[in-house]
Amino acid sequence: MPKQHIADLALFGGSPLYRPPISTSNLVRPDIEGFLSLLKPALNPAGETRLLHTLEQELAHFHEVPHCVAVCSGFWALVLAIQALALPGKQEVLMPSLTYRRLADVVAWTGLTPRFCEVDPQTLAISAATAKSQITANTALIIGVHPIVNCCDAQGLEALANAHGLPVLFDGVESVYETVQGKRVGGFGAAECFSFHASKLINGFEGGYITTRTAPLAEALRAARLPSSRNGMSASLPAAHAAMALQGLREVATQVAHNRAIYQRYVHTLANSPYFEVLRFSDTEQTSYKNIVVKIKPDWPFSRAHTLALFNAEGILSRVYYAPALHQKPMRYAHISQPLPHTEALAEQFMLMPSGYQVNEQHVEETIGFANWLASHAPDISSRLQEATA
Ligand SMILES: *Cc1c(COP(=O)(O)O)cnc(C)c1O
């Protein structure tokens, strides 16, 4: 039910627009019969091994690489890949700060030290130019992270790494379906890591995988996911997760078509908006349109924190885009950073809007209609917000 008066706002005690809420997570529900028929034959050890093998083969084929190793999460995919790739005797792992909130934790888990670099303000990604100045004699590895919208300059980072004799690992979690200069993500660098978390393009409940062109690395990763490895923990992917992920992989084009319709609806509805600008996906690359990131324009009359409070109360689960940046967060482990002015400014500017399997085009229209309604009542709402915090 649309709002009539500001007292109708959920933040001020009215009933929320969405119950259940609409999310920024992908939350795909693949065909349940398909999932069950993949799972049933895998409920014994031989069947489980076959299912895992099929999943790894189909993923390798999808990413156009010879090898794929499935593991229990994106986090562990990164841990195992970092352990396998970091140069022995070196300590620093170079990474962007405007990125996934746990990326530095992953590095700290391996006993190495995160060293943060800037992002390119155009791509919001680490690039050869932003990474170069942070390479030292103690650099063990570069992690190139693909941002939420489009990809980082993977070839540029490969060339930089080669020139310095360094390995480069890509975090491809946000770019599963994408290409860089026509080449599918998955085959860049020494390896690339991915996730099957429910919030990602392919939902395996939870899980992850590593792709690589190198056979010995794939062998080492297969050994490292066993409980007998140096971590003493199993990083294996459970059969139910593998079945869910495989069904999701087989339906991925359908999900991308849905995401594309949502994206186009946002682009169309916000085309002349004085308030929000949609970050555009590339027209020349293949892309998944998974998340909608908007830049908040100066004419929008509320702070981002107030906007999120107003939206979230209504069940519109918008989120900040990678804020605070990693180097701005308190950390109990060693890390190296300098002031990162681009990153700090960019961390204030963006917001994720509802998207994914559970969101439809009507939700998009309603959400933007609601935002416009807020703007048209901005003075009243702002004074009410001030009272609330006074
Ligand atoms: C979600 C995410 C991960 C971690 O994946 P999990 O499976 O949740 O551990 C790593 N990198 C990026 C960029 C992510 O978005």
Side-chain angles (χ1 to χ4, degrees):
M1 178 124 127
K3 308 288 172 183
Q4 304 290 327
H5 308 285
I6 70 165
D8 298 338
L9 290 170
L11 192 62
F12 303 147
S15 40
L17 285 174
Y18 296 109
R19 217 168 1 200
I22 51 172
S23 167
T24 58
S25 285
N26 210 39
L27 302 176
V28 181
R29 230 181 108 170
D31 177 62
I32 294 302
E33 291 309 317
F35 157 62
L36 291 174
S37 65
L38 288 169
L39 179 58
K40 265 192 201 145
L43 296 174
N44 61 72
E48 181 168 358
T49 303
R50 268 197 306 275
L51 171 63
L52 209 62
H53 185 70
T54 305
L55 175 65
E56 291 182 337
Q57 287 222 306
E58 290 194 21
L59 284 167
H61 179 76
F62 173 78
H63 285 287
E64 298 167 11
V65 289
H67 310 286
C68 169
V69 180
V71 292
C72 61
S73 68
F75 189 101
W76 277 95
L78 286 160
V79 167
L80 299 189
I82 292 167
Q83 287 175 337
L85 292 172
L87 295 180
K90 311 278 180 176
Q91 186 63 25
E92 296 173 9
V93 176
L94 189 41
M95 67 167 75
S97 173
L98 189 76
T99 194
Y100 170 60
R101 65 193 162 81
R102 294 187 68 196
L103 198 66
D105 304 349
V106 177
V107 170
W109 184 276
T110 68
L112 297 170
T113 307
R115 184 183 188 107
F116 300 114
C117 71
E118 274 288 18
V119 292
D120 177 323
Q122 292 308 310
T123 62
L124 305 183
I126 180 175
S127 70
T130 68
K132 192 172 181 191
S133 65
Q134 298 307 309
I135 294 175
T136 72
N138 206 10
T139 305
L141 175 71
I142 299 173
I143 304 184
V145 192
H146 295 298
I148 289 182
V149 177
N150 301 324
C151 295
C152 66
D153 175 13
Q155 284 103 339
L157 282 166
E158 283 181 333
L160 177 75
N162 285 340
H164 289 81
L166 292 169
V168 58
L169 167 67
F170 287 95
D171 178 333
V173 171
E174 291 296 345
S175 292
V176 173
Y177 197 74
E178 310 196 354
T179 58
V180 183
Q181 296 185 21
K183 191 176 164 224
R184 176 84 75 164
V185 163
F188 291 102
E192 297 207 45
C193 292
F194 299 91
S195 165
F196 292 135
H197 187 267
S199 59
K200 317 296 183 183
L201 187 66
I202 299 172
N203 178 4
F205 304 114
E206 180 114 62
Y209 60 100
I210 306 151
T211 55
T212 178
R213 289 170 284 135
T214 320
L217 177 62
E219 281 313 302
L221 293 168
R222 279 182 218 290
R225 76 181 162 186
L226 298 173
S228 55
S229 72
R230 73 196 249 193
N231 296 304
M233 289 207 252
S234 171
S236 298
L237 184 69
H241 295 206
M244 181 78 165
L246 184 54
Q247 186 60 33
L249 173 63
R250 290 175 177 176
E251 294 176 21
V252 73
T254 312
Q255 181 57 27
V256 171
H258 171 83
N259 291 350
R260 183 162 185 267
I262 297 290
Y263 166 71
Q264 286 177 332
R265 179 61 56 177
Y266 274 107
V267 168
H268 182 259
T269 312
L270 289 173
N272 299 308
S273 172
Y275 306 130
F276 304 110
E277 177 191 332
V278 181
L279 294 201
R280 297 300 187 99
F281 287 95
S282 168
D283 292 328
T284 55
E285 304 283 359
Q286 184 170 312
T287 178
S288 68
Y289 306 98
K290 183 170 81 66
N291 285 99
I292 307 298
V293 182
V294 296
K295 184 174 185 168
I296 303 170
K297 293 185 169 183
D299 280 353
W300 176 247
F302 303 100
S303 70
R304 187 175 62 178
H306 278 155
T307 308
L308 292 177
L310 287 159
F311 278 24
N312 290 181
E314 301 296 342
I316 300 168
L317 300 186
S318 285
R319 296 284 183 256
V320 292
Y321 176 88
Y322 293 148
L326 301 186
H327 76 286
Q328 298 176 300
K329 299 205 291 192
M331 278 180 203
R332 272 185 275 173
Y333 47 78
H335 58 282
I336 304 166
S337 88
Q338 6 113 53
L340 299 172
H342 286 307
T343 293
E344 284 161 32
L346 292 165
E348 301 298 317
Q349 292 174 12
F350 303 99
M351 196 165 75
L352 288 158
M353 298 295 276
S355 62
Y357 180 86
Q358 319 264 352
V359 169
N360 60 42
E361 291 181 58
Q362 191 183 334
H363 293 141
V364 175
E365 295 288 346
E366 288 167 356
T367 296
I368 294 165
F370 173 67
N372 290 337
W373 187 90
L374 290 175
S376 65
H377 294 73
D380 288 350
I381 295 171
S382 293
S383 45
R384 183 80 183 257
L385 285 166
Q386 242 131 48
E387 282 166 33
T389 50

